[in-house]
Amino acid sequence: GAAIENLMELVDFQRQKLASQQAFVANILQMDVDRVKFLVRSYLRTRLAKIERHARHYLGEPMYRDRMAQSELDYATGFVELDNGHVRRSFLDQLPPHLRGLDEVSAEGLDMVTKPDVDEAVFCRVRVTVGEFQFETSEDPIVMRRNNIFITRYSIIRDLLEDGKVELI
């Protein structure tokens, strides 16, 4: 009697405890999935913003076009077409024909197509050990080992990036 009831109460208690632990673990896993989804969405928003900011430049340079996914190329092309139409309807059509270009370079050398700032700071992770590397801002060479993370100007690590020795993060 009483011993069996106590045992059944203990079994029910353990079952409830297990169910609550599983729910807890499930909640943690769901939070982790949500975190990853947030990071992916954030990355994609950042990538699209960068494509929008320099779409004409990326589409005009074969090197950059080759690096873009087909969906990114389609997006950039559509964005430039929409932007061109908007700018023309808004004000370019009211200007004299010789002032309506969107991709001209002025006599002073000012380019209307914005380019990415290669001196902008980026985070990079070393994929393969590079060894000693001379950063312009450092007097002594820095040893770049696999999985080290650095913040530096893009222009400094561009060749390492193109060789696959570092990756942007």
Side-chain angles (χ1 to χ4, degrees):
I4 299 287
E5 284 182 85
N6 286 342
L7 188 56
M8 290 307 290
E9 284 179 11
L10 283 172
V11 167
D12 285 338
F13 176 75
Q14 288 295 349
R15 191 178 300 142
Q16 289 174 357
K17 187 176 175 184
L18 182 61
S20 68
Q21 283 181 342
Q22 289 174 348
F24 179 71
V25 171
N27 284 339
I28 288 182
L29 292 175
Q30 184 60 47
M31 285 180 9
D32 199 37
V33 167
D34 290 343
R35 181 183 63 82
V36 170
K37 285 168 47 177
F38 172 81
L39 290 173
V40 169
R41 285 186 191 125
S42 178
Y43 168 77
L44 291 174
R45 279 192 302 271
T46 302
R47 181 107 173 131
L48 288 177
K50 185 176 179 182
I51 288 171
E52 288 176 3
R53 199 168 42 250
H54 305 293
R56 286 179 182 83
H57 175 69
Y58 293 143
L59 292 174
E61 296 283 334
M63 176 178 71
Y64 293 115
R65 288 180 66 94
D66 293 343
R67 292 180 185 172
M68 295 170 74
Q70 186 60 46
S71 59
E72 292 173 330
L73 284 170
D74 294 343
Y75 181 83
T77 302
F79 178 81
V80 168
E81 289 172 3
L82 289 172
D83 189 52
N84 286 349
H86 171 71
V87 170
R88 288 193 192 292
R89 282 188 306 279
S90 296
F91 63 89
L92 281 183
D93 286 343
Q94 283 91 45
L95 295 176
H98 69 280
L99 296 176
R100 292 183 186 171
L102 290 173
D103 56 358
E104 297 175 356
V105 178
S106 71
E108 294 83 27
L110 298 175
D111 195 346
M112 292 182 67
V113 175
T114 60
K115 295 178 174 75
D117 181 6
V118 295
D119 287 326
E120 190 172 296
V122 295
F123 287 92
C124 69
R125 176 184 294 120
V126 180
R127 295 179 72 198
V128 293
T129 299
V130 174
E132 288 189 351
F133 185 79
Q134 183 65 49
F135 285 88
E136 293 174 5
T137 57
S138 173
E139 291 181 15
D140 299 323
I142 294 176
V143 177
M144 296 180 76
R145 292 185 181 90
R146 186 174 192 274
N147 291 327
N148 285 158
I149 295 176
F150 295 93
I151 182 169
T152 184
R153 286 182 291 181
Y154 176 81
S155 59
I156 293 174
I157 53 111
R158 181 186 347 207
D159 293 339
L160 295 175
L161 181 66
E162 289 175 1
D163 292 341
K165 295 179 179 176
V166 299
E167 63 185 352
L168 298 180
I169 52 173

